[in-house]
Amino acid sequence: MVRLGLGRDGCVLAFGGGATLDLAGFLAATYARGVPWVALPTTLLSMVDAAIGGKTAVNTPHGKNLVGAFHQPSSVLCDVGYLATLPDREVRSGLAEVAKTALLEGEERLSWVEENARRLTGRDPEALEEGVLFCVAYKAGIVEADELETGRRRILNLGHTLGHGIEAASGYALRHGEAVALGLIAEARLAELEGVAEAGFAQRVEALVEALGLPVRLPPDVTPRGVVPYLSRDKKTEAGRPRFVLLEAAGRVHDERGIPVPDTRVVEALERLAG
Ligand SMILES: NC(=O)c1ccc[n+]([C@@H]2O[C@H](COP(=O)([O-])OP(=O)(O)OC[C@H]3O[C@@H](n4cnc5c(N)ncnc54)[C@H](O)[C@@H]3O)[C@@H](O)[C@H]2O)c1
Ligand SMILES: [Zn+2]
């Protein structure tokens, strides 16, 4: 950008998936102390998640997203037409975030995703557009109220506390959405074990994840116990202990700040994903 002579009146156009958006957004946040940027997401995951909310970051060998900035894009342009060339595995990875949003939003949305799972995995453009629209609207609403994640925005971490641990424990062999899908199941199980959700909730989440063509079991080289050390490395910890955002049911968050849970319970919940 320096060589190109970009001035403070310039603008960064970020065209690509979440990885590209994270990097380009971070460059825009830091170059000349900040220039505007526009997000043009081309993967489903980046349309429903990475492009919205203004979190930008670069990865370092010490961990994901440790170096980053909040910098809102001036606009976000989502065109599901780009998804025509996206590999199936990437489409499904994005659908995990769609499932997360539906779980957070409530029963009506969750039923819609359950009923339309086949259209979504078959990349029916109308279904994908509806999914993108409701995810963007939901996330934008939460972020608007709590841009810097001091409160309510934390609920967007649903499935991610364990998901990030699973992703790291797999050596990043899993796609982000695949790890989140597993995280959603295990956190639903955790909610059952904590007496927060009714029995059967984890089964419903698992059936949804499966219908969306996402994994419901850990890869063979990842054990429930093996995930635990990665949880305390997550930056969203307080005093080194992760806090879990748990659902009582679709659309009903138990405690928006998240609750701490003993490691033994966490392992028990992760057992749900074993073998
Ligand atoms: N900033 C945030 O709030 C936020 C939120 C979620 C995820 N992320 C980050 O986003 C990244 C994951 O994003 P992603 O899932 O989009 O992955 P990605 O950016 O790695 O893209 C996945 C693959 O798809 C290819 N691709 C992109 N668009 C394509 C298209 N239209 N057709 C064919 N191929 C295409 C890419 O070249 C890449 O190989 C992670 O690094 C994650 O940390 C950030
Ligand atoms: Zn995510």
Side-chain angles (χ1 to χ4, degrees):
M1 295 208 292
V2 177
R3 222 178 314 126
L4 290 171
L6 185 76
R8 295 189 77 170
D9 56 346
C11 172
V12 173
L13 298 181
F15 180 67
T20 308
L21 266 48
D22 269 358
L23 171 65
F26 183 71
L27 283 173
T30 46
Y31 180 77
R33 296 203 178 87
V35 292
W37 71 294
V38 171
L40 301 150
T42 61
T43 63
L44 181 58
L45 188 127
S46 59
M47 290 181 194
V48 300
D49 193 359
I52 315 297
K55 280 192 188 176
T56 71
V58 286
N59 293 335
T60 74
H62 299 287
K64 271 183 85 172
N65 302 339
L66 284 174
V67 177
F70 284 97
H71 189 45
Q72 295 295 343
S74 308
S75 36
V76 179
L77 302 168
C78 297
D79 182 344
V80 295
Y82 290 131
L83 305 181
T85 53
L86 196 64
D88 268 338
R89 192 175 175 194
E90 300 294 342
V91 173
R92 293 193 212 112
S93 178
L95 289 174
E97 303 284 358
V98 175
K100 178 197 84 172
T101 305
L103 279 161
L104 284 170
E105 212 177 334
E107 186 53 45
E108 198 178 323
R109 202 65 87 182
L110 182 59
S111 308
W112 182 86
V113 177
E114 286 171 336
E115 283 155 23
N116 289 279
R118 211 182 249 278
R119 288 175 68 210
L120 290 165
T121 53
R123 49 177 102 196
D124 171 318
E126 277 175 30
L128 288 173
E129 197 163 302
E130 180 151 354
V132 169
L133 278 172
F134 83 69
C135 288
V136 168
Y138 183 82
K139 185 168 180 185
I142 301 276
V143 170
E144 230 168 72
D146 176 24
E147 190 175 351
L148 303 181
E149 197 170 316
T150 52
R152 185 129 214 265
R153 185 167 180 174
R154 290 191 194 158
I155 69 172
L156 297 175
N157 291 324
L158 183 73
H160 282 64
T161 312
L162 290 180
H164 280 146
I166 293 167
E167 193 179 0
S170 80
Y172 296 94
L174 289 173
R175 298 295 302 143
H176 175 71
E178 292 169 342
V180 168
L182 291 165
L184 287 171
I185 300 168
E187 289 183 17
R189 178 68 187 138
L190 191 58
E192 287 180 355
L193 292 169
E194 286 291 296
V196 164
E198 280 180 26
F201 185 53
Q203 184 52 48
R204 185 177 182 192
V205 176
E206 181 174 319
L208 175 64
V209 164
E210 196 159 30
L212 293 175
L214 286 155
V216 295
R217 293 289 174 262
L218 290 170
D221 54 333
V222 180
T223 61
R225 218 166 273 284
V227 173
V228 174
Y230 291 94
L231 299 177
S232 52
R233 286 180 220 169
D234 193 302
K235 69 183 184 314
K236 287 171 196 119
T237 55
E238 267 174 35
R241 292 204 65 79
R243 297 180 75 93
F244 291 87
V245 169
L246 299 178
L247 288 179
E248 294 167 1
R252 290 215 323 262
V253 176
H254 174 61
D255 180 339
E256 288 184 355
R257 291 162 302 167
I259 57 168
V261 175
D263 285 351
T264 47
R265 258 296 152 77
V266 173
V267 171
E268 204 183 336
L270 285 162
E271 300 279 359
R272 168 95 203 191
L273 306 172

